[in-house]
């Protein structure tokens, strides 16, 4: 099989994005916190992995109440992470290595220390008076972090809306001056060479007119999720961005419905019949990372059912078929580590990490690999509630104990499995102190398993190296057009089956991806593999399966195989 591009495609459809959490990637100045200079030194690593773009979490001035998602100045780099020169150098070096750079813009809210908010609070009649959402009386909306969504401001004598912490007041996108300023902010960074943005919680910017309370039991969709003006404002935003080159806009969209996701990612038509570019190129979905949530949501974790995972993936692949384009990810800085949650973090750690990666990153869409997943980093062994640093997780624990009356051990067990801290521990580079992340005391402890699980050890391993497998997987994906342009067909299995299998087909080429997402062997489940149409094994996470094996219908624990097929 060779690469046979159908047409000129935008670069981001060919990209593999590597997601860097700046605070925990590489410390360059020895203060225990990762920074831009550190990221720059690791760019060759990212390129060698096979990524062609990075998305960095927010590095702008911030009081760090929510690790940089509370921004007090969008145009200044927080000294914790470096300087604007460091950013410019990073962009330059990245481009020399053919790596594109995406910044994380948090535009639904600012920090309460942002000068706009201080002005708005202190001077209601002034130019910033209407830049936030002020009311004399709150409605019944609840925020995302187990908190009320309104806080009283004694200075202004009114309540302000914040869907996250009180230190993250929501901007008033109804105000055209706000929308204009945010587009100019994005242009400020485009002028410095960045190639696109990840737009934080971008589907909550538009609130239902009049801010009515939510009827009991009603989901927030249409109230503060996917509100009425979202797509229109995003199209306006896009139209204001400098357009001398192709940039990418990735929207983070918790709770998004399929209809809304399509609305954001499809080109529209203006009243004169001309095509208007899509508001967003891709959205970040959440349903595949919620199939292990119980009736009470995230802080009520349940065992994974593969059937539910298959259904979610199939549904979203269908909903975001052409002309939409999906993104594919398995974890991020808000999620537990995937190997701990959907895989086997002990006996089959290598096998499960590679099986999950294969089952996801070969789907239709752009893979986004979160730092550390390529070496199968696992959840941090949190021991006590006071070790939780993340504000969402700490609030959740408090609420389970204080409001739901849960026993503290039970509450802690739930939160430690889901805590955002799990995915935020420092990157494990080598066997040196603090895993080579820093020479100082790291801001959050390194996972103690780094002695066995780190980049340099896996680089040297010839067998069962997750890192080396990722390189092969990503390079195969890049080389074969079928993985980019081919259609996606999920293969049906019994609800209880641990099999995750799909076909990707393009013209007369077809590949079959199978993965046993369980720790036991499954036999004779894959009748399709027994088919004469199997031509060749393109990739497998077990060493011995280099060609069609003697027992074709059988898969070992967490075994994954990619077959090239004859015909469709
Ligand atoms: O999954 C979640 C719901 O429990 C959240 O962690 C969700 O990812 C989050 O609410 C939205 O995330 C983004 O915006 C937040 C910030 O804390 C996250 O780190 C960011 O990714 C507020 O800006």
């Amino acid at each position: 099989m060779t690469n046979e591009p159908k047409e000129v495609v935008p670069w981001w459809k060919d990209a593999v994005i590597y997601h860097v959490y700046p605070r925990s990637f590489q410390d360059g100045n020895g203060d225990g916190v990762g920074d831009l200079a550190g990221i720059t030194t690791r760019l060759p690593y990212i390129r060698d992995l096979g990524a062609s773009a990075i998305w960095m979490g927010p590095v702008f001035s911030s009081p760090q109440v929510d690790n940089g998602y509370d921004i007090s100045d969008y145009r200044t780099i927080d000294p914790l992470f470096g300087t604007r020169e460091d950013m410019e150098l990073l962009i330059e070096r990245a481009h020399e290595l053919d790596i594109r750079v995406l910044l994380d813009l948090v535009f639904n809210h600012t920090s309460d220390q942002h000068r706009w908010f201080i002005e708005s609070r202190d001077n209601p009649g002034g130019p910033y008076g209407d830049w936030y959402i002020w009311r004399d009386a709150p409605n019944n909306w609840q925020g995302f972090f187990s908190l009320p969504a309104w806080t009283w401001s004694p200075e202004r004598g009114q309540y302000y809306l914040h869907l996250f912490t009180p230190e993250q007041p929501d901007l008033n996108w109804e105000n055209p001056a706000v929308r204009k300023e945010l587009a100019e902010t994005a242009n400020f960074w485009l002028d410095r060479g960045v190639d696109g943005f990840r737009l934080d919680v971008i589907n909550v910017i538009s609130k239902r007119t009049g801010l009515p309370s939510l009827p009991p039991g009603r989901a927030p969709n249409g109230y503060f999720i996917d509100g009425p003006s979202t797509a229109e404002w995003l199209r306006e935003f896009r139209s204001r961005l400098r357009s001398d080159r192709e940039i990418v806009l990735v929207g983070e969209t918790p709770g998004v419905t399929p209809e809304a996701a399509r609305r954001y990612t499809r080109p529209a038509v203006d009243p004169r019949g001309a095509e208007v570019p899509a508001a967003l190129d891709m959205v970040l979905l959440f349903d595949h990372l919620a199939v292990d949530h119980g009736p009470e949501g995230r802080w009520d974790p349940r065992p994974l059912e593969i059937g539910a995972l298959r259904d979610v993936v199939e549904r979203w692949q269908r909903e975001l078929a052409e002309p939409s384009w999906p993104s594919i990810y398995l974890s991020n800085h808000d999620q537990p580590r995937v190997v701990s949650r959907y895989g086997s973090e002990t006996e089959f750690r290598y096998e499960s990490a590679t099986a999950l990666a294969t089952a996801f990153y070969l789907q239709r869409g752009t893979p986004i690999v979160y730092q550390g997943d390529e070496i199968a980093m696992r959840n941090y062994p949190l021991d006590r509630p006071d070790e939780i640093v993340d504000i969402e997780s700490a609030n959740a624990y408090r609420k389970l104990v204080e409001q739901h009356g849960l026993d503290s051990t039970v509450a802690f067990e739930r939160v430690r499995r889901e805590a955002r801290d799990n995915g935020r521990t420092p990157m494990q580079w080598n066997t040196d102190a603090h895993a080579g992340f820093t020479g100082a005391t790291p801001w959050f402890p390194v996972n103690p398993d780094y002695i066995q699980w780190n980049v340099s050890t896996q680089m040297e391993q010839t067998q069962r190296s997750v890192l080396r497998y990722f390189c092969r997987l990503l390079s195969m994906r890049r080389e074969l057009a079928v993985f980019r342009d081919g259609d996606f067909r999920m293969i049906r299995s019994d609800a209880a089956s641990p099999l995750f299998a799909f076909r990707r087909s393009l013209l007369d080429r077809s590949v079959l991806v199978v993965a046993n997402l369980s720790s036991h062997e499954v036999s004779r489940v894959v009748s399709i593999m027994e088919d004469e149409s199997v031509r060749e094994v393109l990739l497998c996470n077990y060493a011995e399966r280099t060609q069609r094996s003697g027992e074709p219908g059988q898969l070992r624990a967490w075994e994954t195989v990619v077959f090239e097929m004859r015909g469709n």
Side-chain angles (χ1 to χ4, degrees), residues 266-305:
R266 284 181 174 191
V269 175
D270 75 10
R272 274 181 258 107
E275 193 173 279
V276 182
L280 300 169
D281 298 306
M282 291 179 254
V283 291
L284 296 169
L285 300 170
F286 285 74
D287 287 351
H288 65 297
L289 298 182
V291 288
D292 59 346
H293 293 174
E296 289 162 49
R298 173 170 188 157
W299 310 104
D300 180 19
R302 296 297 153 93
L304 170 70
E305 284 174 23

Side-chain angles (χ1 to χ4, degrees), residues 295-538:
E296 289 162 49
R298 173 170 188 157
W299 310 104
D300 180 19
R302 296 297 153 93
L304 170 70
E305 284 174 23
I306 304 298
L309 187 64
R310 273 193 310 256
D311 289 350
V312 164
V313 167
E314 180 174 30
R315 174 152 35 91
W316 278 104
Q317 281 280 324
R318 193 174 55 239
E319 301 286 5
L320 295 182
E322 290 244 45
S324 295
W325 183 259
S327 70
I328 316 159
Y329 73 100
L330 278 165
S331 76
N332 63 30
H333 65 294
D334 294 332
Q335 300 288 338
R337 286 288 177 180
V338 70
V339 74
S340 303
R341 144 185 230 189
Y342 288 173
S344 149
E345 60 166 22
T346 49
E347 195 185 347
F348 296 110
R349 187 159 166 185
Y350 156 82
E351 287 79 7
S352 63
T354 50
L356 286 160
T358 310
F360 275 79
Y361 299 140
L362 296 182
Q363 293 169 21
R364 178 174 174 270
T366 297
I368 305 178
V369 178
Y370 183 50
Q371 67 178 51
D373 275 1
E374 77 277 23
I375 53 165
M377 278 176 64
R378 70 174 174 191
N379 282 354
Y380 182 77
L382 284 165
D383 241 0
R384 300 183 316 272
D386 64 5
E387 286 178 341
I388 300 171
V389 171
D390 163 48
I391 191 154
E392 180 184 13
S393 317
N395 286 351
Y397 173 73
R398 209 171 310 120
K399 189 171 177 182
L400 288 177
V401 173
E402 288 169 13
Q403 291 179 31
H404 295 215
L406 245 64
D407 173 78
S408 59
T409 320
V410 176
F412 181 58
E413 188 46 39
R414 286 190 183 190
V415 173
R416 74 197 292 262
R417 280 176 61 180
E418 282 288 319
R420 301 202 296 182
D421 303 275
N422 283 311
R424 298 180 174 186
T425 63
M427 182 69 184
Q428 296 163 205
W429 294 106
N430 54 42
T431 54
D432 294 351
H434 309 304
F437 163 70
T438 181
T441 304
W443 74 276
F444 194 94
V446 175
N447 197 314
D449 72 358
Y450 77 90
I451 297 287
Q452 291 85 38
W453 294 84
N454 61 72
V455 169
S456 73
T457 303
Q458 290 196 30
M459 210 88 101
E460 283 154 26
Q461 267 167 1
T462 48
Q463 301 238 321
R464 297 179 87 225
S465 162
V466 183
L467 183 59
R468 282 169 169 259
Y469 183 91
F470 262 68
C471 293
R472 285 162 60 206
L473 174 69
L474 298 178
S475 99
M476 182 185 75
R477 188 189 156 104
R478 201 173 43 239
E479 278 158 23
L480 302 184
V482 67
F483 291 118
R484 187 189 66 206
D485 298 326
D487 65 7
F488 175 95
R489 202 148 30 98
M490 192 64 119
I491 290 170
R492 304 217 163 258
S493 317
D494 298 343
S497 162
L499 190 76
F500 193 102
F502 55 86
R503 276 180 96 133
R504 304 284 320 271
S505 308
L506 177 67
L507 305 172
D508 60 343
R509 294 295 166 86
S510 176
V511 291
L512 171 68
V513 179
V514 294
N516 169 14
L517 302 188
S518 81
S519 298
H520 49 266
E521 190 172 293
V522 286
S523 50
R524 307 201 63 79
V525 281
V526 201
S527 55
I528 196 157
M529 284 162 51
E530 299 172 18
D531 205 300
E532 275 310 298
S533 54
V534 169
R535 260 176 44 179
E536 187 189 342
V537 171
L538 296 176

Side-chain angles (χ1 to χ4, degrees), residues 124-265:
Y128 294 93
D130 191 31
W131 276 45
Y132 294 82
I133 302 171
W134 297 98
R135 288 294 180 277
D136 293 332
N139 62 17
N140 71 352
W141 296 359
Q142 288 293 307
F144 283 85
F145 286 174
S146 313
L147 293 166
W150 294 90
T151 289
W152 173 253
S153 160
E155 291 92 345
R156 172 137 165 172
Q158 278 188 310
Y159 291 88
Y160 64 91
L161 180 71
H162 53 86
L163 293 178
F164 295 88
T165 70
E167 292 85 5
Q168 293 164 295
D170 280 40
L171 281 161
N172 177 18
W173 276 67
E174 298 280 351
N175 184 335
V178 169
R179 305 204 300 273
K180 185 158 173 282
E181 173 62 29
L182 295 177
E184 279 168 17
T185 304
N187 275 327
F188 173 86
W189 287 110
L190 289 174
D191 287 343
R192 274 148 195 84
V194 306
D195 304 286
F197 304 104
R198 180 254 191 198
L199 299 169
D200 189 62
V201 290
I202 206 63
N203 65 331
V204 304
I205 55 176
S206 166
K207 280 80 178 176
R208 195 181 185 108
T209 316
L211 310 184
S213 280
L214 267 171
R218 177 77 195 250
N221 297 74
Y223 284 74
F224 58 81
I225 290 184
D226 301 331
S229 306
T230 318
E232 179 195 325
W233 289 342
L234 288 176
R235 269 189 224 110
E236 178 194 82
F237 173 74
R238 167 154 248 169
S239 73
R240 286 178 162 150
L241 300 183
R242 59 178 275 183
S243 56
D244 56 336
R245 61 188 190 276
E246 173 104 39
I247 61 145
V248 69
L249 295 181
V250 184
E252 192 210 18
T253 52
V256 74
T257 60
E259 300 72 50
R262 283 198 302 269
R263 195 156 62 240
Y264 304 147
T265 54

